[in-house]
PDB file of all heavy atoms in Angstrom:
ATOM      1  N   GLU A  20     -12.044  19.204   9.505  1.00 96.00           N
ATOM      2  CA  GLU A  20     -12.727  20.503   9.464  1.00 96.00           C
ATOM      3  C   GLU A  20     -14.135  20.411   8.858  1.00 96.00           C
ATOM      4  O   GLU A  20     -14.863  21.390   8.854  1.00 96.00           O
ATOM      5  CB  GLU A  20     -11.864  21.540   8.726  1.00 96.00           C
ATOM      6  CG  GLU A  20     -11.636  21.287   7.250  1.00 96.00           C
ATOM      7  CD  GLU A  20     -10.416  20.426   6.938  1.00 96.00           C
ATOM      8  OE1 GLU A  20     -10.025  19.595   7.796  1.00 96.00           O
ATOM      9  OE2 GLU A  20      -9.872  20.567   5.826  1.00 96.00           O
ATOM     10  N   TRP A  21     -14.487  19.255   8.350  1.00 97.00           N
ATOM     11  CA  TRP A  21     -15.820  19.072   7.784  1.00 97.00           C
ATOM     12  C   TRP A  21     -16.753  18.429   8.809  1.00 97.00           C
ATOM     13  O   TRP A  21     -16.309  17.676   9.686  1.00 97.00           O
ATOM     14  CB  TRP A  21     -15.770  18.137   6.560  1.00 97.00           C
ATOM     15  CG  TRP A  21     -15.121  18.717   5.340  1.00 97.00           C
ATOM     16  CD1 TRP A  21     -14.622  19.978   5.175  1.00 97.00           C
ATOM     17  CD2 TRP A  21     -14.890  18.014   4.106  1.00 97.00           C
ATOM     18  NE1 TRP A  21     -14.089  20.109   3.911  1.00 97.00           N
ATOM     19  CE2 TRP A  21     -14.240  18.937   3.242  1.00 97.00           C
ATOM     20  CE3 TRP A  21     -15.172  16.727   3.653  1.00 97.00           C
ATOM     21  CZ2 TRP A  21     -13.876  18.583   1.934  1.00 97.00           C
ATOM     22  CZ3 TRP A  21     -14.804  16.380   2.363  1.00 97.00           C
ATOM     23  CH2 TRP A  21     -14.170  17.297   1.512  1.00 97.00           C
ATOM     24  N   SER A  22     -18.061  18.695   8.660  1.00 95.00           N
ATOM     25  CA  SER A  22     -19.065  18.055   9.522  1.00 95.00           C
ATOM     26  C   SER A  22     -19.170  16.571   9.174  1.00 95.00           C
ATOM     27  O   SER A  22     -18.740  16.142   8.099  1.00 95.00           O
ATOM     28  CB  SER A  22     -20.426  18.715   9.294  1.00 95.00           C
ATOM     29  OG  SER A  22     -20.861  18.405   7.966  1.00 95.00           O
ATOM     30  N   ASP A  23     -19.765  15.800  10.088  1.00 92.00           N
ATOM     31  CA  ASP A  23     -19.998  14.370   9.803  1.00 92.00           C
ATOM     32  C   ASP A  23     -20.864  14.204   8.553  1.00 92.00           C
ATOM     33  O   ASP A  23     -20.622  13.300   7.745  1.00 92.00           O
ATOM     34  CB  ASP A  23     -20.678  13.680  10.997  1.00 92.00           C
ATOM     35  CG  ASP A  23     -19.681  13.375  12.121  1.00 92.00           C
ATOM     36  OD1 ASP A  23     -18.460  13.600  11.935  1.00 92.00           O
ATOM     37  OD2 ASP A  23     -20.129  12.910  13.185  1.00 92.00           O
ATOM     38  N   ASP A  24     -21.833  15.095   8.382  1.00 95.00           N
ATOM     39  CA  ASP A  24     -22.709  14.991   7.199  1.00 95.00           C
ATOM     40  C   ASP A  24     -21.926  15.214   5.900  1.00 95.00           C
ATOM     41  O   ASP A  24     -22.096  14.474   4.941  1.00 95.00           O
ATOM     42  CB  ASP A  24     -23.854  16.013   7.280  1.00 95.00           C
ATOM     43  CG  ASP A  24     -24.946  15.565   8.230  1.00 95.00           C
ATOM     44  OD1 ASP A  24     -24.920  14.375   8.648  1.00 95.00           O
ATOM     45  OD2 ASP A  24     -25.814  16.399   8.554  1.00 95.00           O
ATOM     46  N   LYS A  25     -21.079  16.226   5.915  1.00 97.00           N
ATOM     47  CA  LYS A  25     -20.284  16.520   4.715  1.00 97.00           C
ATOM     48  C   LYS A  25     -19.313  15.366   4.435  1.00 97.00           C
ATOM     49  O   LYS A  25     -19.151  14.931   3.290  1.00 97.00           O
ATOM     50  CB  LYS A  25     -19.510  17.834   4.936  1.00 97.00           C
ATOM     51  CG  LYS A  25     -18.423  18.132   3.914  1.00 97.00           C
ATOM     52  CD  LYS A  25     -18.911  18.871   2.693  1.00 97.00           C
ATOM     53  CE  LYS A  25     -17.733  19.261   1.810  1.00 97.00           C
ATOM     54  NZ  LYS A  25     -18.100  19.947   0.596  1.00 97.00           N
ATOM     55  N   ASN A  26     -18.677  14.851   5.486  1.00 96.00           N
ATOM     56  CA  ASN A  26     -17.764  13.717   5.306  1.00 96.00           C
ATOM     57  C   ASN A  26     -18.510  12.510   4.748  1.00 96.00           C
ATOM     58  O   ASN A  26     -18.022  11.823   3.847  1.00 96.00           O
ATOM     59  CB  ASN A  26     -17.086  13.356   6.633  1.00 96.00           C
ATOM     60  CG  ASN A  26     -15.860  14.206   6.894  1.00 96.00           C
ATOM     61  OD1 ASN A  26     -14.945  14.248   6.080  1.00 96.00           O
ATOM     62  ND2 ASN A  26     -15.832  14.899   8.017  1.00 96.00           N
ATOM     63  N   SER A  27     -19.678  12.278   5.274  1.00 95.00           N
ATOM     64  CA  SER A  27     -20.472  11.138   4.825  1.00 95.00           C
ATOM     65  C   SER A  27     -20.880  11.298   3.357  1.00 95.00           C
ATOM     66  O   SER A  27     -20.858  10.342   2.576  1.00 95.00           O
ATOM     67  CB  SER A  27     -21.692  11.022   5.732  1.00 95.00           C
ATOM     68  OG  SER A  27     -22.499   9.993   5.284  1.00 95.00           O
ATOM     69  N   GLU A  28     -21.198  12.540   2.990  1.00 97.00           N
ATOM     70  CA  GLU A  28     -21.601  12.824   1.611  1.00 97.00           C
ATOM     71  C   GLU A  28     -20.435  12.565   0.638  1.00 97.00           C
ATOM     72  O   GLU A  28     -20.610  11.979  -0.423  1.00 97.00           O
ATOM     73  CB  GLU A  28     -22.024  14.292   1.552  1.00 97.00           C
ATOM     74  CG  GLU A  28     -22.599  14.768   0.250  1.00 97.00           C
ATOM     75  CD  GLU A  28     -22.793  16.288   0.305  1.00 97.00           C
ATOM     76  OE1 GLU A  28     -23.302  16.811   1.316  1.00 97.00           O
ATOM     77  OE2 GLU A  28     -22.390  16.954  -0.673  1.00 97.00           O
ATOM     78  N   VAL A  29     -19.225  12.964   1.040  1.00 97.00           N
ATOM     79  CA  VAL A  29     -18.061  12.841   0.147  1.00 97.00           C
ATOM     80  C   VAL A  29     -17.461  11.430   0.203  1.00 97.00           C
ATOM     81  O   VAL A  29     -17.123  10.850  -0.831  1.00 97.00           O
ATOM     82  CB  VAL A  29     -16.984  13.894   0.503  1.00 97.00           C
ATOM     83  CG1 VAL A  29     -15.701  13.673  -0.296  1.00 97.00           C
ATOM     84  CG2 VAL A  29     -17.527  15.301   0.244  1.00 97.00           C
ATOM     85  N   PHE A  30     -17.309  10.904   1.409  1.00 96.00           N
ATOM     86  CA  PHE A  30     -16.551   9.649   1.566  1.00 96.00           C
ATOM     87  C   PHE A  30     -17.425   8.407   1.738  1.00 96.00           C
ATOM     88  O   PHE A  30     -16.899   7.285   1.760  1.00 96.00           O
ATOM     89  CB  PHE A  30     -15.593   9.765   2.761  1.00 96.00           C
ATOM     90  CG  PHE A  30     -14.509  10.800   2.573  1.00 96.00           C
ATOM     91  CD1 PHE A  30     -14.448  11.922   3.383  1.00 96.00           C
ATOM     92  CD2 PHE A  30     -13.545  10.649   1.586  1.00 96.00           C
ATOM     93  CE1 PHE A  30     -13.450  12.879   3.225  1.00 96.00           C
ATOM     94  CE2 PHE A  30     -12.530  11.589   1.415  1.00 96.00           C
ATOM     95  CZ  PHE A  30     -12.487  12.710   2.238  1.00 96.00           C
ATOM     96  N   GLY A  31     -18.734   8.595   1.902  1.00 95.00           N
ATOM     97  CA  GLY A  31     -19.637   7.446   1.993  1.00 95.00           C
ATOM     98  C   GLY A  31     -19.388   6.612   3.242  1.00 95.00           C
ATOM     99  O   GLY A  31     -19.017   7.133   4.289  1.00 95.00           O
ATOM    100  N   LYS A  32     -19.579   5.290   3.095  1.00 92.00           N
ATOM    101  CA  LYS A  32     -19.470   4.390   4.246  1.00 92.00           C
ATOM    102  C   LYS A  32     -18.098   4.421   4.891  1.00 92.00           C
ATOM    103  O   LYS A  32     -17.953   4.136   6.080  1.00 92.00           O
ATOM    104  CB  LYS A  32     -19.740   2.945   3.804  1.00 92.00           C
ATOM    105  CG  LYS A  32     -21.194   2.607   3.590  1.00 92.00           C
ATOM    106  CD  LYS A  32     -21.288   1.119   3.258  1.00 92.00           C
ATOM    107  CE  LYS A  32     -22.720   0.659   3.112  1.00 92.00           C
ATOM    108  NZ  LYS A  32     -22.754  -0.775   2.747  1.00 92.00           N
ATOM    109  N   CYS A  33     -17.076   4.731   4.103  1.00 94.00           N
ATOM    110  CA  CYS A  33     -15.713   4.759   4.643  1.00 94.00           C
ATOM    111  C   CYS A  33     -15.503   5.928   5.594  1.00 94.00           C
ATOM    112  O   CYS A  33     -14.424   6.092   6.161  1.00 94.00           O
ATOM    113  CB  CYS A  33     -14.674   4.757   3.518  1.00 94.00           C
ATOM    114  SG  CYS A  33     -14.340   3.092   2.888  1.00 94.00           S
ATOM    115  N   SER A  34     -16.528   6.763   5.761  1.00 96.00           N
ATOM    116  CA  SER A  34     -16.417   7.874   6.694  1.00 96.00           C
ATOM    117  C   SER A  34     -17.072   7.585   8.047  1.00 96.00           C
ATOM    118  O   SER A  34     -17.154   8.473   8.905  1.00 96.00           O
ATOM    119  CB  SER A  34     -17.035   9.130   6.076  1.00 96.00           C
ATOM    120  OG  SER A  34     -16.753  10.234   6.886  1.00 96.00           O
ATOM    121  N   ASN A  35     -17.501   6.381   8.280  1.00 94.00           N
ATOM    122  CA  ASN A  35     -18.119   6.020   9.571  1.00 94.00           C
ATOM    123  C   ASN A  35     -17.242   6.475  10.740  1.00 94.00           C
ATOM    124  O   ASN A  35     -16.095   6.036  10.864  1.00 94.00           O
ATOM    125  CB  ASN A  35     -18.305   4.492   9.615  1.00 94.00           C
ATOM    126  CG  ASN A  35     -18.813   4.009  10.964  1.00 94.00           C
ATOM    127  OD1 ASN A  35     -19.282   4.802  11.781  1.00 94.00           O
ATOM    128  ND2 ASN A  35     -18.709   2.718  11.185  1.00 94.00           N
ATOM    129  N   PRO A  36     -17.766   7.356  11.621  1.00 93.00           N
ATOM    130  CA  PRO A  36     -16.946   7.882  12.725  1.00 93.00           C
ATOM    131  C   PRO A  36     -16.437   6.789  13.671  1.00 93.00           C
ATOM    132  O   PRO A  36     -15.474   7.009  14.398  1.00 93.00           O
ATOM    133  CB  PRO A  36     -17.897   8.830  13.463  1.00 93.00           C
ATOM    134  CG  PRO A  36     -18.977   9.150  12.486  1.00 93.00           C
ATOM    135  CD  PRO A  36     -19.112   7.959  11.589  1.00 93.00           C
ATOM    136  N   ASN A  37     -17.088   5.641  13.688  1.00 95.00           N
ATOM    137  CA  ASN A  37     -16.671   4.556  14.589  1.00 95.00           C
ATOM    138  C   ASN A  37     -15.729   3.547  13.929  1.00 95.00           C
ATOM    139  O   ASN A  37     -15.599   2.421  14.424  1.00 95.00           O
ATOM    140  CB  ASN A  37     -17.903   3.845  15.162  1.00 95.00           C
ATOM    141  CG  ASN A  37     -18.685   4.772  16.071  1.00 95.00           C
ATOM    142  OD1 ASN A  37     -18.098   5.484  16.881  1.00 95.00           O
ATOM    143  ND2 ASN A  37     -19.996   4.790  15.938  1.00 95.00           N
ATOM    144  N   TRP A  38     -15.098   3.950  12.852  1.00 96.00           N
ATOM    145  CA  TRP A  38     -14.105   3.121  12.157  1.00 96.00           C
ATOM    146  C   TRP A  38     -14.739   1.897  11.494  1.00 96.00           C
ATOM    147  O   TRP A  38     -15.872   1.547  11.767  1.00 96.00           O
ATOM    148  CB  TRP A  38     -12.967   2.649  13.079  1.00 96.00           C
ATOM    149  CG  TRP A  38     -12.391   3.688  13.985  1.00 96.00           C
ATOM    150  CD1 TRP A  38     -12.611   3.808  15.328  1.00 96.00           C
ATOM    151  CD2 TRP A  38     -11.510   4.765  13.640  1.00 96.00           C
ATOM    152  NE1 TRP A  38     -11.912   4.878  15.833  1.00 96.00           N
ATOM    153  CE2 TRP A  38     -11.231   5.479  14.829  1.00 96.00           C
ATOM    154  CE3 TRP A  38     -10.927   5.177  12.444  1.00 96.00           C
ATOM    155  CZ2 TRP A  38     -10.403   6.595  14.850  1.00 96.00           C
ATOM    156  CZ3 TRP A  38     -10.092   6.286  12.472  1.00 96.00           C
ATOM    157  CH2 TRP A  38      -9.844   6.981  13.663  1.00 96.00           C
TER     158      TRP A  38
END
Side-chain angles (χ1 to χ4, degrees):
E20 66 271 28
W21 289 357
S22 67
D23 282 355
D24 282 348
K25 168 87 174 179
N26 275 304
S27 177
E28 185 187 315
V29 173
F30 295 115
K32 283 184 176 178
C33 277
S34 189
N35 174 15
N37 294 316
W38 315 105

